[in-house]
Amino acid sequence: MPRRTSRDIRSDSMIDVLHAVLSAGETTRNDLMRSTGLSPATVVTIVNELIEADVLAETKVSAGRVGRPTSIFGMNAARGRILGIDVAETYVRATMFDTALNQVSYTESARDEHVLEPGSIVETIGLVVDELLQSEGVCREGVLGAGISLPGLIQEPSGMAVVVPNWEWRSVELDRLRERVGLPLVIDNPLKAMVNAERWLGRGRSAASLATVNLGTGVGAGIVLEGEVLRGATNSAGEWGHSLLMLDGRLCRCGRRGCVEAYIGVPGIQHTLRELAPSHPLADVELQSDFISLLAHAAESSTPDDAARETVARTAYYLGSALADLVAVVNPDVVTLTGWTTWALGGQLLSPARERMRSQSPGRAGAAVELEISAVRGNPVVTGIAMIALERSLVDAGLLTTRIPVVL
Amino acid sequence: MPRRTSRDIRSDSMIDVLHAVLSAGETTRNDLMRSTGLSPATVVTIVNELIEADVLAETKVSAGRVGRPTSIFGMNAARGRILGIDVAETYVRATMFDTALNQVSYTESARDEHVLEPGSIVETIGLVVDELLQSEGVCREGVLGAGISLPGLIQEPSGMAVVVPNWEWRSVELDRLRERVGLPLVIDNPLKAMVNAERWLGRGRSAASLATVNLGTGVGAGIVLEGEVLRGATNSAGEWGHSLLMLDGRLCRCGRRGCVEAYIGVPGIQHTLRELAPSHPLADVELQSDFISLLAHAAESSTPDDAARETVARTAYYLGSALADLVAVVNPDVVTLTGWTTWALGGQLLSPARERMRSQSPGRAGAAVELEISAVRGNPVVTGIAMIALERSLVDAGLLTTRIPVVL
Ligand SMILES: [Zn+2]
Ligand SMILES: [Zn+2]
C-alpha cells in the first residue's frame, strides 16, 4: 500500500495554504497563520515558494498604521487558462477558468446518447474545446491543462479504463483523446470531480470528513476522509446511488432492483408521482429538467396539489433514509447536496430529509452530522475536474504530491 | 484536521515491519527487506530499535553456508502479558496473551443483561480480571496493559463516552473502571477491535483496503483504508448492520425498520425460518448459538429439510445484497467474514453470498472484490482489543504514533 513521505507532509501544508487563499480571495501571511494553524516559518516558506512559482501573486502592499507595510496576495489569475470538461450522456460541456478558478466562458454541445463509437465521442470533445478556445481567442499554449470527467472511469489491475454500459475505452482510445484535445489532460469520474470541488471550494475547507451527494438523473456520493478523496480499489467508491433502499424494489437503470437512484433520481421521482396520481399533468412531462422545476413549483403553489406535495414528501423520506445509510457506514462530519435536483427542489427537501436522516442514523452519528446544500454553485463536476487539472499543474511543478489517477 | 508528520512515516514503516514479523513468526533482516519493500537501511534501523526496546528478540543465529551468520528473530513473547477484554451484553470475557500475541488463558463470566448499573458492570469486569490473573499466577506489574471492548463507544465534541441503549458512561464511570482494573487501559468499540485483528493478523497484511463483517446476534463491519481503521466523526463508522436492506421492513432491535441486522443477525435468521415454516422444530429454539448450529446441521443433513435449506439460501441472498452496498460505497479490495454465525454457517453462506454480492455491486467493483472467511480465528474482538493494548505500549515507548482513541 502507498506510504506517505515527508514531501507529502509539506504538500499537505501547502494544500492548507491554498485552501485558505482560495477561501479568502485576498489574504496576508498573518491571516494565513491564524486560519491554517501552521507555524509562521512554514507559512512564510510556502507562500514565498508559491509566489516564486507564480501560483500566488502579490496584489498590493498595505501600509499599516504601525510597522512595516503588509503584503496582500491571492491566487495568480494570470498564470494561464484551465479547462473543465464534463462528458455526460446527453451533452459535452467545456468551461474555461483562469488560474484563480474564476469561470471565464463555456461551450456546450448536445450529444446523441445512442452514438457510442469512441471516435465520434472524442471528436465531439475536440470540437467543443476548439470552439471554446476560438471564441475566447486563446491558443493551446495559453492553457495550462484540461480535466475531463468521464462517466464510469475505473481502475483495473491492468490500468485505467473507462467503462460505461455499452462503451469501453482503454489505452488506444485514451491516446486518441489526448491527441485530439492537444492539451495536458487529467481524467476522472464525475463523483470524484464533484467532491473535489467541495473539498477545495466548499465544506472541505472546514470539515475533516464529508460526503457530497449529487442529485440529478443519476445520484451518487463523493467522499472525503481526512482531506483525501476516497477512491476505493477500482476508483468506484461512492456509488451510493446503486446501494439498496429496498431489496427487490423498483427496477433501476443499472439493471438491478431497489437502488437508491430508482427512488430519488429524477426518473424515480417521476415514478413516485405516477404511483400516486397516474393522470397528473406532470406524470408525462418528457424533459427531466422541466419536470423537476414544474414539480417544485406545483408543490409550493398556493393552489393545493396534493400529489405534487406528497411526491416531494416521499422523495425527502427516501433521501433521508438513504443518507442515513451513508452516515451509518462512513460517519462523516457533514453531508452536502448538489446537482440540479438540489438547485430546483433542495429547499423543500432539506429540512424533512435532515430530520429523517438523523432519526435513522445509528447511535449518535445522526446527531453529529450536518446536512447542507452545497455552497459550490454551478456545475460542480466541471469546477471539480478543472481543480484537478490545476492541482496536476502544481504536482508537475513539484509543489504538491497529490496522487492524480489518470494523467495523459 | 490532523496532519501527518515525519514521525508518522517512520511509524508506518515500523508497522510494516511488525506486520511482517507477526506474519512470519521468525524472520531475518533480508526476508524483511523482501516482504516489506523497505530499504535495507530502514529495515536495519527499525529492527535494531525494536530489539533495543525488547519488542523483538533474537532467537538464534543461523550460520549460512557463506558469509556471516544470519540473525533470526521474532516478537519477544517474554516482555509481559496483555489482556483483551470483551464486554458483551450477556458475558464478560478476559483473555491473556503474551507479547507475541499467543493466547495463554481466558476467563469468562456470564452477565445479566438487565443489570445496567455502571458500578455492577465495572465490578464484573474487575472480578474477571482478578480471577484470570490469579489463575495464571501473574501480578499486575507483569501486565503491560489491557484493552476493553465496550459496545457503543463514541466520540463526542465533549470527549469520549460509552453510549449503549440504557447505559451511558462518561468520565466518572471511566475513571472508576480504570481504578478497579488497575492496569493501563485502552477502550474501543467491538467493530474497531475486530477489524484491528484483521488489520494486524489477517488480510490487513496484504490488502490496502478491507472490510471485516461480523455475523452474530448483531452484525457490523470494520473498515480499514490504506492501512488505517476508519473511525468516522463519532467513532461509529462501520454500522453497516443498521443500514437499510428494506425500507420500512422488519423491525430491528435498534428500534428502526428494515436494517440489515434484522435479516442476518441470528434472531433475523430465525425470523426467516419462522416465516417459511412457523411450526418447524428449530423455530422456537431459545439459545441463539444452539439455533445456528442446529440450522447448519439441518441444512446439510441427508434428510431433506427444505425450510432449513431455504432459510440458509435466503440468508445468503440477504447477506450478499447487503455486502454489495458496502462494496458500492467503500469499494474495498477484500471483505472477510467473522463471528460465530460465520464459524457455524460460513461454509454454506460463502459461495452464494459471494455470487450475489458480485452481481449486485455497481460497475466493476464487484468483479474486483474478494469475499473470504477470516483467517483470524477465536474471538476477534478479544484479539483485536489486545492488539490495540499492545500497540498502545509501543506508542508509550515512543515507537509508534498510532492515534488510539481512548487511553485511560
Ligand atoms: Zn442501480
Ligand atoms: Zn437496526
Side-chain angles (χ1 to χ4, degrees):
Chain A
M1 64 196 77
R3 289 297 194 189
R4 295 174 66 73
T5 68
S6 49
R7 286 191 60 227
D8 295 327
I9 291 163
R10 220 181 48 124
S11 172
D12 284 346
S13 303
M14 193 170 273
I15 285 176
D16 288 345
V17 167
L18 289 167
H19 260 145
V21 175
L22 277 164
S23 168
E26 291 194 325
T27 187
T28 65
R29 288 174 178 79
N30 280 335
D31 284 345
L32 282 178
M33 290 166 203
R34 273 189 291 275
S35 58
T36 62
L38 294 168
S39 73
T42 304
V43 167
V44 168
T45 309
I46 287 176
V47 167
N48 291 350
E49 199 172 2
L50 289 170
I51 289 176
E52 179 76 19
D54 274 340
V55 175
L56 299 185
E58 289 189 284
T59 51
K60 47 188 108 109
V61 170
S62 112
R65 276 186 307 173
V66 282
R68 292 187 303 156
T70 304
S71 149
I72 296 183
F73 49 83
M75 295 295 288
N76 177 13
R79 203 157 57 96
R81 299 299 197 218
I82 296 278
L83 306 190
I85 303 166
D86 178 14
V87 180
E89 281 161 56
T90 57
Y91 65 86
V92 174
R93 169 186 282 230
T95 300
M96 185 181 290
F97 295 87
D98 65 26
T99 41
L101 229 67
N102 301 301
Q103 185 172 325
V104 176
S105 175
Y106 76 87
T107 306
E108 188 169 310
S109 170
R111 210 176 72 69
D112 181 341
E113 61 188 303
H114 302 104
V115 174
L116 304 166
E117 199 270 304
S120 153
I121 299 170
V122 165
E123 186 53 26
T124 305
I125 297 170
L127 286 173
V128 170
V129 170
D130 290 345
E131 194 184 320
L132 180 62
L133 293 176
Q134 207 166 6
S135 72
E136 291 301 308
V138 172
C139 62
R140 279 182 160 74
E141 288 65 38
V143 180
L144 278 177
I148 304 188
S149 161
L150 288 169
L153 182 72
I154 63 149
Q155 167 95 57
E156 286 186 332
S158 55
M160 277 287 169
V162 177
V163 180
V164 284
N166 306 317
W167 51 304
E168 186 157 334
W169 292 10
R170 293 179 183 276
S171 57
V172 178
E173 291 82 5
L174 295 176
D175 285 349
R176 208 190 294 187
L177 179 66
R178 189 194 60 235
E179 279 161 31
R180 178 62 184 85
V181 175
L183 292 168
L185 283 191
V186 297
I187 60 178
D188 210 335
N189 76 36
L191 293 176
K192 307 301 177 299
M194 174 192 83
V195 78
N196 205 53
E198 193 70 38
R199 171 178 167 243
W200 275 102
L201 305 168
R203 275 302 232 124
R205 297 194 298 220
S206 52
S209 64
L210 64 88
T212 298
V213 163
N214 182 52
L215 302 175
T217 306
V219 308
I223 298 166
V224 169
L225 300 171
E226 299 207 3
E228 296 270 349
V229 174
L230 174 65
R231 297 192 170 276
T234 61
N235 202 31
S236 49
E239 285 290 352
W240 161 86
H242 301 284
S243 72
L244 280 177
L245 186 71
M246 176 84 83
L247 186 69
D248 300 325
R250 289 185 191 169
L251 187 63
C252 180
R253 64 178 180 149
C254 74
R256 294 181 292 271
R257 287 197 167 274
C259 297
V260 168
E261 181 170 302
Y263 294 81
I264 62 171
V266 176
I269 299 175
Q270 198 167 25
H271 185 140
T272 301
L273 176 69
R274 269 195 227 106
E275 279 180 353
L276 289 163
S279 57
H280 192 282
L282 296 185
D284 298 305
V285 172
E286 282 202 11
L287 258 182
Q288 295 187 9
S289 52
D290 288 351
F291 168 73
I292 281 293
S293 340
L294 292 168
L295 176 68
H297 201 263
E300 285 194 309
S301 144
S302 54
T303 324
D305 184 335
D306 290 344
R309 283 181 195 175
E310 181 59 21
T311 298
V312 172
R314 288 203 188 177
T315 301
Y317 181 81
Y318 297 144
L319 172 61
S321 305
L323 290 176
D325 284 4
L326 202 54
V327 173
V329 172
V330 177
N331 187 202
D333 290 303
V334 57
V335 177
T336 63
L337 303 178
T338 186
W340 47 275
T341 295
T342 302
W343 310 143
L345 209 55
Q348 295 178 60
L349 294 173
L350 187 67
S351 169
R354 182 195 287 126
E355 197 179 318
R356 173 79 184 160
M357 173 188 80
R358 288 190 164 161
S359 74
Q360 293 298 296
S361 297
R364 304 239 167 148
V369 69
E370 293 293 330
L371 181 66
E372 298 169 4
I373 290 177
S374 175
V376 181
R377 290 312 172 97
N379 178 330
V381 170
V382 162
T383 308
I385 198 75
M387 193 66 227
I388 296 176
L390 182 59
E391 209 170 344
R392 177 254 173 99
S393 76
L394 300 175
V395 171
D396 287 350
L399 294 166
L400 296 181
T401 61
T402 318
R403 285 185 291 277
I404 292 172
V406 190
V407 172
L408 297 178
Chain B
M1 64 196 76
R3 289 299 195 186
R4 296 175 67 73
T5 68
S6 49
R7 286 190 58 226
D8 294 328
I9 291 163
R10 219 181 48 124
S11 172
D12 284 346
S13 303
M14 193 171 274
I15 285 176
D16 287 346
V17 167
L18 289 166
H19 259 146
V21 175
L22 277 164
S23 168
E26 292 192 323
T27 188
T28 64
R29 288 173 179 79
N30 280 335
D31 283 345
L32 282 179
M33 290 167 204
R34 271 189 293 276
S35 57
T36 62
L38 294 168
S39 73
T42 305
V43 168
V44 167
T45 308
I46 288 175
V47 167
N48 290 349
E49 199 172 1
L50 289 170
I51 288 176
E52 180 75 17
D54 275 339
V55 176
L56 300 184
E58 289 189 283
T59 50
K60 49 190 108 116
V61 170
S62 112
R65 277 188 304 174
V66 282
R68 293 187 301 156
T70 304
S71 149
I72 296 182
F73 50 83
M75 294 296 288
N76 177 12
R79 205 155 58 96
R81 300 296 197 221
I82 296 278
L83 305 189
I85 303 166
D86 178 15
V87 180
E89 280 161 57
T90 57
Y91 65 86
V92 174
R93 170 186 282 230
T95 301
M96 185 181 290
F97 296 86
D98 66 25
T99 39
L101 230 65
N102 301 302
Q103 184 171 326
V104 175
S105 175
Y106 76 88
T107 306
E108 188 169 310
S109 170
R111 208 176 74 69
D112 181 343
E113 60 188 306
H114 303 103
V115 174
L116 303 167
E117 200 271 305
S120 154
I121 300 171
V122 165
E123 185 54 26
T124 305
I125 297 170
L127 286 173
V128 170
V129 169
D130 290 345
E131 194 184 318
L132 180 62
L133 293 177
Q134 205 164 7
S135 73
E136 291 300 308
V138 172
C139 60
R140 279 183 161 73
E141 288 64 37
V143 180
L144 277 178
I148 305 188
S149 161
L150 288 169
L153 182 71
I154 62 149
Q155 166 93 59
E156 286 185 333
S158 55
M160 276 288 168
V162 178
V163 180
V164 285
N166 306 317
W167 51 305
E168 186 158 334
W169 293 8
R170 291 178 185 277
S171 56
V172 177
E173 291 82 4
L174 295 176
D175 285 349
R176 207 190 295 185
L177 179 66
R178 189 194 61 235
E179 279 160 31
R180 177 61 185 85
V181 175
L183 291 168
L185 283 191
V186 296
I187 60 177
D188 210 335
N189 76 37
L191 292 176
K192 307 300 178 300
M194 174 193 83
V195 77
N196 206 53
E198 193 70 36
R199 171 179 167 244
W200 276 103
L201 305 168
R203 275 302 232 127
R205 297 195 296 221
S206 52
S209 64
L210 64 88
T212 298
V213 163
N214 182 52
L215 301 175
T217 306
V219 307
I223 298 167
V224 168
L225 300 172
E226 297 207 5
E228 297 270 348
V229 175
L230 175 65
R231 297 192 170 276
T234 61
N235 202 31
S236 50
E239 286 291 352
W240 161 85
H242 300 284
S243 72
L244 281 176
L245 187 71
M246 177 85 82
L247 185 70
D248 300 324
R250 290 184 189 168
L251 188 63
C252 179
R253 63 178 180 149
C254 75
R256 294 182 292 271
R257 289 198 165 272
C259 296
V260 168
E261 182 171 300
Y263 295 81
I264 62 171
V266 177
I269 299 174
Q270 201 169 22
H271 185 139
T272 301
L273 177 69
R274 269 197 227 102
E275 278 179 354
L276 288 163
S279 57
H280 192 282
L282 296 185
D284 298 305
V285 171
E286 281 202 14
L287 257 182
Q288 295 187 10
S289 51
D290 288 351
F291 168 73
I292 282 293
S293 340
L294 291 167
L295 176 69
H297 201 263
E300 284 194 310
S301 143
S302 56
T303 324
D305 184 337
D306 290 343
R309 282 181 196 177
E310 181 60 19
T311 299
V312 173
R314 286 201 189 179
T315 301
Y317 181 81
Y318 297 145
L319 173 61
S321 305
L323 289 176
D325 284 5
L326 202 54
V327 173
V329 173
V330 177
N331 187 202
D333 291 303
V334 59
V335 177
T336 62
L337 303 178
T338 187
W340 49 274
T341 295
T342 302
W343 310 143
L345 208 55
Q348 295 179 60
L349 294 173
L350 188 66
S351 168
R354 182 194 288 125
E355 196 177 320
R356 173 78 184 159
M357 173 187 81
R358 288 191 164 162
S359 74
Q360 294 298 296
S361 297
R364 304 240 167 145
V369 69
E370 293 294 330
L371 181 66
E372 297 169 4
I373 289 177
S374 175
V376 181
R377 290 311 172 97
N379 178 331
V381 170
V382 161
T383 309
I385 198 75
M387 193 65 227
I388 296 176
L390 182 59
E391 210 170 343
R392 177 252 174 102
S393 76
L394 300 174
V395 172
D396 286 352
L399 295 166
L400 297 181
T401 61
T402 318
R403 285 184 291 275
I404 292 173
V406 190
V407 173
L408 298 178

